[in-house]
């Protein structure tokens, strides 16, 4: 039984879900292992994400625990059979594990729901905008690491142009449109990039205006990742201390409700295909065009 030196979010999530199923069924670790001819220590390592579990044993364990949600079981099997090897593995020496975990989660996503209060979402950033953010951060980065981090963020965006892309719904606070990163020219190109990305049929972009009532302008950003037919959803909450991956059902429901409030309070989505003369006086594109004009005139 080979043990992993480090674990990914996917591996930890698989173990966590198996532990929850065991506890809900009322079995101890020893009893759970006996159900499939596995020792207590071995099952403990599986639940901690430190070692793999064959698909047949995983199905047998779910069956013994009385889990009848077949889509959920198949989602666990798919998670266990995933090699975890993707383009992001080339960055293992340069970037932290949570950053790599995000790319892996996005690669398996069916839908992404993003809210940002002070930045354009990473998956919608231009390279020069990204570099300017990294340069202005308080974290000292060697130039090589800065370039790798910026390149990594750009490569994450490839999921939006693949054959079967996830849907993306991004809510961006108006404050993020006014923040200056890299100067006016960089910001102008970034905002124009948002308009171009909104042309994709699976991308929806809304702006939450300063005038929205009852919502904090600096509320915590979030990324809700739906995957495996919503059987294994995850919320990412980023903060200066660490990235927090959340997958408890009650918590995810609260974040989903929060995102629904944000998009309901936001202006209608960017729609570059609609003639400017037919736009409502207050919609996301109209506000973005106003900011673009101010950048041009400044």
């Amino acid at each position: 039984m080979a043990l992993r030196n480090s674990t990914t979010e996917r591996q930890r999530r698989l173990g966590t879900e198996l532990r929850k199923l065991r506890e809900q069924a009322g079995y101890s670790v020893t009893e759970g292992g006996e159900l499939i001819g596995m020792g207590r220590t071995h099952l403990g390592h599986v639940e901690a994400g430190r070692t793999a579990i064959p698909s047949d044993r995983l199905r047998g364990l779910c069956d013994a625990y009385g889990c009848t949600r077949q889509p959920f079981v198949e989602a666990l099997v798919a998670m266990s059979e995933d090699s975890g090897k993707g383009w992001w593995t080339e960055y293992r020496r340069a970037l932290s594990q949570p950053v790599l975990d995000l790319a892996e989660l996005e690669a398996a996503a069916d839908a992404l729901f993003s809210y940002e209060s002070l930045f354009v979402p990473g998956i919608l950033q231009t390279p020069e905008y990204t570099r300017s953010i990294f340069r202005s951060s308080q974290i000292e980065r060697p130039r090589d690491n800065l370039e790798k981090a910026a390149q990594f963020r750009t490569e994450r965006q490839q999921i939006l142009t693949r054959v079967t892309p996830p849907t993306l719904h991004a809510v961006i606070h108006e404050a993020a449109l006014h923040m200056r990163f890299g100067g006016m020219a960089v910001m102008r190109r970034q905002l124009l990039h948002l308009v171009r990305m909104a042309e994709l049929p699976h991308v929806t972009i809304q702006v939450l205006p300063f005038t929205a009532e009852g919502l904090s302008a600096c509320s915590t950003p979030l990324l809700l990742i739906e995957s495996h037919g919503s059987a294994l959803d995850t919320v990412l909450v980023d903060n200066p201390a660490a990235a927090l991956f959340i997958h408890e059902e009650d918590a995810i429901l609260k974040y989903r409700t929060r995102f629904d409030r944000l998009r309901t309070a936001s202006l209608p989505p960017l729609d570059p295909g609609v003639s400017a003369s037919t736009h409502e006086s207050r919609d996301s594109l109209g506000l973005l065009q106003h900011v673009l004009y101010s950048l041009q005139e400044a």
Side-chain angles (χ1 to χ4, degrees):
M1 177 180 61
L3 298 182
R4 301 174 177 121
N5 293 324
S6 62
T7 58
T8 67
E9 170 62 19
R10 174 181 54 80
Q11 292 162 346
R12 291 190 297 273
R13 176 70 183 278
L14 175 62
T16 297
E17 295 299 333
L18 291 176
R19 176 183 54 76
K20 288 195 294 187
L21 287 177
R22 175 179 57 76
E23 292 176 345
Q24 290 167 3
Y27 291 109
S28 67
V29 181
T30 300
E31 292 168 336
E34 290 174 349
L35 292 172
I36 56 171
M38 182 180 286
R40 177 183 184 281
T41 301
H42 192 170
L43 182 58
H45 286 313
V46 169
E47 291 184 353
R50 290 190 291 266
T51 193
I53 179 171
S55 297
D56 58 340
R57 280 189 160 186
L58 192 156
R59 286 194 173 92
L61 203 56
C62 291
D63 184 61
Y65 290 158
C67 180
T68 58
R69 295 175 290 161
Q70 199 57 32
F72 177 70
V73 174
E74 292 307 314
L76 293 181
V77 171
M79 183 178 283
S80 71
E81 293 179 346
D82 192 332
S83 68
K85 295 180 180 178
W87 62 267
W88 54 88
T89 58
E90 299 178 8
Y91 293 84
R92 282 181 297 187
R93 296 181 181 275
L95 302 178
S96 65
Q97 188 59 53
V99 175
L100 305 180
D101 288 338
L102 172 59
E104 184 175 5
L105 285 170
E106 288 177 334
D110 302 317
L112 302 167
F113 300 90
S114 171
Y115 169 67
E116 285 288 349
S117 56
L118 298 176
F119 305 98
V120 170
I123 202 167
L124 295 172
Q125 293 178 5
T126 64
E128 56 188 354
Y129 178 89
T130 297
R131 291 188 184 93
S132 66
I133 290 176
F134 288 158
R135 283 194 293 265
S136 65
S137 70
Q138 296 180 354
I139 302 174
E140 294 293 332
R141 298 174 184 265
R143 181 172 178 80
D144 288 348
N145 283 4
L146 186 149
E147 288 301 319
K148 285 183 181 296
Q151 182 180 353
F152 180 88
R153 185 165 291 184
T154 299
E155 286 200 55
R156 280 176 48 207
Q157 301 174 14
Q158 65 186 334
I159 65 170
L160 295 179
T161 54
R162 69 189 185 191
V163 177
T164 55
T167 59
L168 169 66
H169 193 142
V171 172
I172 307 172
H173 197 281
E174 183 179 350
L177 307 183
H178 293 277
M179 297 289 287
R180 298 290 176 90
F181 291 104
M184 290 184 294
V186 171
M187 284 303 303
R188 181 172 175 78
R189 285 191 289 270
Q190 174 60 72
L191 298 185
L192 288 171
H193 179 67
L194 289 179
V195 177
R196 287 191 292 270
M197 294 303 293
E199 294 175 349
L200 297 174
H202 51 282
V203 174
T204 300
I205 301 174
Q206 289 181 267
V207 176
L208 180 66
F210 287 124
T211 54
E213 296 183 6
L215 294 169
S216 171
C218 297
S219 54
T220 306
L222 67 93
L223 177 63
L224 170 60
I225 305 170
E226 289 186 354
S227 64
H228 301 87
S230 291
L232 292 169
D233 295 345
T234 300
V235 170
L236 170 62
V237 179
D238 212 354
N239 61 64
L244 179 63
F245 294 97
I246 301 169
H247 32 73
E248 290 76 14
E249 291 184 11
D250 290 346
I252 288 176
L253 178 59
K254 290 179 181 178
Y255 278 104
R256 189 182 298 279
T257 301
R258 180 181 168 199
F259 185 83
D260 287 340
R261 287 187 61 207
L262 289 165
R263 64 180 174 186
T264 299
S266 296
L267 298 173
L270 295 182
D271 188 356
V274 176
S275 169
S277 61
T278 61
H279 272 283
E280 297 180 22
S281 59
R282 285 287 285 174
D283 66 1
S284 295
L285 182 59
L287 178 55
L288 192 145
Q289 288 175 329
H290 174 74
V291 177
L292 278 169
Y293 181 78
S294 68
L295 288 172
Q296 187 175 18
E297 292 296 309

